[in-house]
Amino acid sequence: MKKTMTSRDSISTIECFPDDVRCHILSFLPTRDAAATSLLSKRWKPLWLSLRSFDFHDRYFPDFLKFSDFVISFLSSPDTLHVQSLRLSCGSGNTFQSYYSDDFNLFFNRVGLKGVPELDLQMLFSSSLPSGFYSCKTLVTVKLDNVILDYSSCVDFPLLKSLILNDFTFGSQAIMFNFLCGCPILEYLDAKSLKIGRDTPPQVEEGAKSLPKLVRARIGYCNYTPFPVRSNAQFLHPQMVLNAPLILITFSHYF
């Protein structure tokens, strides 16, 4: 009769796998579950830190301060050497508004020091980001949800190639142009529910420059469509809004 494998047999079998195989298995689990395997044994304890993609949500912590301390400690660990993608969901706790600004500056500092290339920041309600974010020079791909940029900051994203904005609000056209011009090699721009906080008649001359490396732009449901910065794009996917101000577009590429 064929013997049925028990859960103990399964654990014993997994224990025989080399660390790189077990890390590959952990990569299919949510970050929270992968981190829980550190309780199994001393050999399992550091394995989850060797993953390349991490997803952290503050709803699993009693308050935002403890969540922030955990994430900053994680990014400060010498064991997290190969972080390629980091997703952060914030805003579910009552203490978020009290602590997030100072803690985020330290968080973004660690992101830069660690050399993280992909950042996905999900805010549960509209929030401004501190100045530390705009100098994360290692970022290649950025996705931002529910973020407000209401002041001019020194934007320096020399490696950024892909920018995805959802429910993003710029304080003014000048702030928007300043932000986008800080991404000199941007190739892909996807903006949904893009808003200009202070609605004024569009002025193309106000800091407007085309993005020389832009290949594909998808901009939809905006109260002002930033045509000047995407006039160099080879592939455009516009979604116009009724009654939105219209600017004449001059394309440098034809297809």
Side-chain angles (χ1 to χ4, degrees):
M1 180 179 295
K2 186 176 180 180
K3 183 179 179 181
T4 302
M5 180 178 288
T6 65
S7 58
R8 180 173 297 181
D9 293 330
S10 300
I11 294 174
S12 299
T13 301
I14 293 175
E15 289 290 348
C16 295
F17 291 165
D19 287 351
D20 57 343
V21 173
R22 291 190 294 162
C23 283
H24 181 68
I25 294 173
L26 291 182
S27 69
F28 293 97
L29 297 177
T31 300
R32 187 185 183 203
D33 295 339
T37 63
S38 63
L39 302 176
L40 295 176
S41 68
K42 289 183 178 180
R43 189 182 172 195
W44 280 91
K45 186 174 182 179
L47 280 182
W48 77 281
L49 295 174
S50 301
L51 299 177
R52 294 178 178 271
S53 180
F54 298 88
D55 185 351
F56 298 120
H57 201 304
D58 66 354
R59 70 171 177 264
Y60 300 123
F61 293 79
D63 56 55
F64 184 77
L65 187 58
K66 288 183 172 56
F67 170 72
S68 175
D69 287 344
F70 171 79
V71 174
I72 291 171
S73 176
F74 162 81
L75 288 172
S76 302
S77 171
D79 295 318
T80 54
L81 296 176
H82 307 291
V83 181
Q84 293 295 311
S85 176
L86 187 62
R87 184 173 188 239
L88 219 61
S89 298
C90 306
S92 61
N94 294 329
T95 59
F96 173 73
Q97 292 284 12
S98 302
Y99 295 105
Y100 86 93
S101 183
D102 291 339
D103 288 358
F104 266 19
N105 262 329
L106 186 55
F107 163 73
F108 292 128
N109 175 263
R110 294 294 186 273
V111 166
L113 291 176
K114 190 66 68 173
V116 178
E118 297 182 18
L119 178 66
D120 183 350
L121 191 58
Q122 309 283 320
M123 312 297 282
L124 298 189
F125 52 87
S126 296
S127 306
S128 299
L129 294 183
S131 58
F133 165 72
Y134 302 100
S135 58
C136 287
K137 297 184 179 182
T138 65
L139 292 174
V140 177
T141 299
V142 169
K143 182 178 180 181
L144 301 174
D145 276 40
N146 264 335
V147 169
I148 301 172
L149 178 56
D150 52 6
Y151 62 93
S152 290
S153 180
C154 181
V155 180
D156 190 10
F157 294 129
L159 303 180
L160 191 66
K161 293 185 177 182
S162 180
L163 178 63
I164 302 170
L165 306 176
N166 189 33
D167 287 327
F168 197 98
T169 301
F170 289 104
S172 68
Q173 295 173 52
I175 292 174
M176 176 185 64
F177 292 136
N178 175 66
F179 177 84
L180 293 175
C181 290
C183 315
I185 66 169
L186 191 68
E187 296 177 356
Y188 176 67
L189 173 63
D190 187 341
K192 300 175 183 176
S193 298
L194 185 65
K195 305 178 185 70
I196 303 298
R198 295 187 289 275
D199 291 329
T200 57
Q203 300 175 9
V204 178
E205 300 80 13
E206 188 180 2
K209 296 179 181 178
S210 64
L211 296 169
K213 301 294 185 180
L214 192 64
V215 175
R216 188 179 298 272
R218 182 189 301 272
I219 300 179
Y221 307 109
C222 309
N223 64 347
Y224 168 63
T225 305
F227 285 134
V229 298
R230 63 182 207 174
S231 63
N232 205 47
Q234 299 177 36
F235 302 95
L236 301 177
H237 305 272
Q239 293 177 313
M240 300 301 297
V241 181
L242 292 178
N243 301 322
L246 180 64
I247 300 177
L248 181 64
I249 316 172
T250 302
F251 297 104
S252 58
H253 297 277
Y254 299 89
F255 53 91

